[in-house]
Amino acid sequence: MNRKIKNCLTIFFVLSVFFLCVAIITGFYYLRYKWNAPIEKNGKHVIFEVKKGESFLDVVNKLKQAGILKDTRLFYFMGKILKVSHKIKAGEFLINTRWSQKKLLNYLVKGRPYLHKVMIPEGSTWWEVGNLLEAN
């Protein structure tokens, strides 16, 4: 192989490796930005329920159906990578759509479920209290 072709192949290889590295670094920073950016600019509060025994994939799909997440791929991927997909707690959660995906996942794993306030009138029987709690 002559020297000119060898130099061209070397330059091509070096440039290919360089552009591959640039692409990987750019992709990493883009995913990092998406992971830490707010889900919505104008956030709203949403009550979201995770039922006992639901899989992580079911929860992710419900988040999309509820309009909390637009694109679920990064959320699902990070839940699996961080090994927290099996640690999602069951219950109702008050979620703000201004949170980042990182904060949302952390909240579903470590957060406290949403508690409902119930006013029990004095002198109520246990039957009335039961009916009141069932209604709320």
Side-chain angles (χ1 to χ4, degrees):
M1 198 182 284
N2 72 27
R3 192 171 185 96
K4 195 173 193 179
I5 292 174
K6 209 179 225 183
N7 285 342
C8 285
L9 286 176
T10 304
I11 290 171
F12 176 75
F13 178 74
V14 169
L15 287 175
S16 297
V17 170
F18 173 75
F19 285 120
L20 180 64
C21 289
V22 168
I24 290 171
I25 291 169
T26 303
F28 170 76
Y29 279 105
Y30 175 75
L31 290 177
R32 187 172 151 203
Y33 165 76
K34 291 295 281 181
W35 182 240
N36 291 306
I39 297 168
E40 285 183 1
K41 296 219 187 281
N42 300 325
K44 62 183 182 234
H45 290 286
V46 178
I47 293 180
F48 180 76
E49 182 179 6
V50 177
K51 294 182 180 166
K52 187 174 184 174
E54 274 187 314
S55 71
F56 184 60
L57 184 58
D58 291 337
V59 172
V60 170
N61 288 331
K62 280 176 56 177
L63 285 167
K64 186 172 186 171
Q65 289 172 352
I68 297 168
L69 289 177
K70 306 287 186 262
D71 185 11
T72 57
R73 291 176 293 186
L74 178 63
F75 191 80
Y76 181 80
F77 176 73
M78 291 305 288
K80 291 293 186 178
I81 291 294
L82 297 172
K83 297 180 181 176
V84 296
S85 59
H86 62 283
K87 295 180 181 179
I88 301 288
K89 292 186 178 180
E92 287 185 332
F93 297 91
L94 184 61
I95 294 171
N96 189 334
T97 57
R98 282 175 102 185
W99 292 349
S100 66
Q101 292 187 43
K102 179 180 180 180
K103 183 172 182 177
L104 175 60
L105 183 61
N106 190 38
Y107 186 74
L108 291 174
V109 170
K110 295 180 181 175
R112 282 192 251 149
Y114 179 69
L115 301 177
H116 296 272
K117 291 183 182 180
V118 178
M119 186 76 106
I120 300 174
E122 190 175 337
S124 298
T125 65
W126 67 271
W127 189 259
E128 293 169 334
V129 172
N131 287 335
L132 184 65
L133 292 174
E134 225 174 59
N136 290 315

